Amino acid sequence: RGGPHRGLPRRDVRGAAALTSEYFEQAYGADYFRRNPRYKWRAFLRELLRFRSGGSLLEAGCGYGLFLREASARFDCVGCDASEHAVKQARQGLPARVPLLVSSLDTLSLRRRFDVVAAFDVIEHIPALPAAFESAHRLLEPGGLFVFTVPVYDGPLGWLVGLSYLLVFGPERRCGHDYLAGSKVVQTET
């Protein structure tokens, strides 16, 4: 079967039970869109376009689909989020051609690869970080980009605020605990 949903599972709901509408209400109140303004997603897209002008893109942790809305004009997009609630919200604002899945990056199982895997403001929420990086590597085309931001404002990694890290996994990448080995890190100001 062809089409945009080719190679995509119906759904993977592991870990999604706690990420209900109540979670989003508690975390954001009525401020989800104000706290995630369009200029933020456009800035991320501008930064990405410095390295890739198009191709296929998976956004892990897509939330309400705000980045996908911007990126879908330039990329063949797929989104996933661990929250069924977030995926339902994203579906309302995205073109039907953008497939959406209920899954987390560390548990995502797809039969296709992407030129870009993006995870904005989500890596810090994944307890199985090595599994998330392994999954990103498995989902990338050779020479693909894993693009992510880490917005930890008041923790030990707070100095990362305002930085984006673009990782290009190379063929020499090794498995296991050194999930960043063989990667090229490009630091850019946002």
Side-chain angles (χ1 to χ4, degrees):
R1 292 169 33 199
H5 301 281
R6 178 184 79 257
L8 301 176
R10 290 282 179 219
R11 57 188 268 147
D12 177 354
V13 295
R14 292 173 282 190
L19 300 174
T20 62
S21 60
E22 290 80 22
Y23 164 83
F24 282 87
E25 179 64 31
Q26 182 179 29
Y28 296 99
D31 293 337
Y32 185 86
F33 295 99
R34 186 179 65 76
R35 290 175 61 188
N36 290 283
R38 191 170 189 187
Y39 69 81
K40 171 183 174 180
W41 307 112
R42 285 181 169 178
F44 288 165
L45 180 59
R46 269 194 315 275
E47 196 63 33
L48 173 58
L49 290 172
R50 291 178 50 210
F51 299 90
R52 285 288 150 83
S53 60
S56 58
L57 180 145
L58 168 69
E59 185 186 9
C62 68
Y64 288 8
L66 303 179
F67 176 73
L68 290 172
R69 189 178 308 162
E70 301 298 327
S72 65
R74 302 293 285 273
F75 291 89
D76 173 26
C77 294
V78 173
C80 72
D81 198 283
S83 168
E84 187 170 0
H85 165 75
V87 168
K88 285 179 182 177
Q89 294 296 314
R91 177 77 289 144
Q92 293 176 18
L94 291 170
R97 65 180 164 75
V98 177
L100 296 172
L101 311 167
V102 177
S103 183
S104 178
L105 179 59
D106 59 327
T107 62
L108 187 60
S109 176
L110 298 176
R111 294 182 306 245
R112 67 178 280 194
R113 291 179 172 228
F114 299 87
D115 298 309
V116 177
V117 173
F120 299 118
D121 302 349
V122 71
I123 293 294
E124 71 278 7
H125 298 288
I126 300 175
L129 196 53
F133 280 90
E134 286 291 329
S135 183
H137 177 257
R138 182 179 37 74
L139 291 165
L140 282 172
E141 291 286 358
L145 296 176
F146 179 37
V147 182
F148 66 94
T149 59
V150 183
V152 182
Y153 302 106
D154 58 354
L157 299 177
W159 60 273
L160 289 174
V161 173
L163 299 178
S164 296
Y165 286 88
L166 299 161
L167 294 139
V168 181
F169 288 91
E172 69 281 1
R173 192 194 155 288
R174 296 181 297 276
C175 297
H177 66 278
D178 55 347
Y179 47 84
L180 291 179
S183 300
K184 175 182 175 191
V185 179
V186 180
Q187 177 179 321
T188 60
E189 297 292 328
T190 56

